[in-house]
Amino acid sequence: MQLYSTYADTASLFVTAHLNARRYGRRSATNDVGTIGLIVAVMAILFSWVPVVDWVIWFLAAFLSFIGSFKHPRGFAVAGIVICGATVMVKLTVAGLIAASGM
């Protein structure tokens, strides 16, 4: 007894599985909030030299990355949190250099 003898039978099996996954709400494993948090974190480190905008963008990036860290997969969200930490270090270094120069 042969279950799936032709290519069409096998293809129909995959199509049925795909439709069932869509019907029951299963999605591919993505973390949209973590991805957006990573993108905004990169923008935050690029705009870390702008006086007020940098803190607004940094706060938004930290918030989105923190929220995204509670969903699976966590990779992009954790990367966003690490970049937010690096951004704070860059800001403190720039503020220290400006204070030391006497501006």
Side-chain angles (χ1 to χ4, degrees):
M1 182 168 113
Q2 211 171 2
L3 260 136
Y4 298 103
S5 60
T6 64
Y7 175 75
D9 290 338
T10 307
S12 68
L13 176 69
F14 287 121
V15 168
T16 304
H18 176 71
L19 291 177
N20 283 338
R22 289 189 69 196
R23 182 180 304 146
Y24 295 114
R26 294 185 199 124
R27 290 184 41 193
S28 62
T30 59
N31 186 352
D32 296 334
V33 177
T35 304
I36 293 170
L38 175 66
I39 292 169
V40 176
V42 170
M43 288 175 48
I45 203 163
L46 292 175
F47 287 105
S48 62
W49 57 274
V50 180
V52 176
V53 176
D54 60 348
W55 287 107
V56 173
I57 294 175
W58 177 83
F59 180 75
L60 183 64
F63 178 75
L64 290 172
S65 296
F66 180 74
I67 296 298
S69 68
F70 293 106
K71 295 182 179 182
H72 289 285
R74 294 186 175 117
F76 286 149
V78 171
I81 291 171
V82 169
I83 291 174
C84 285
T87 304
V88 169
M89 294 215 181
V90 167
K91 290 177 189 189
L92 292 176
T93 302
V94 168
L97 289 174
I98 290 174
S101 70
M103 291 181 121

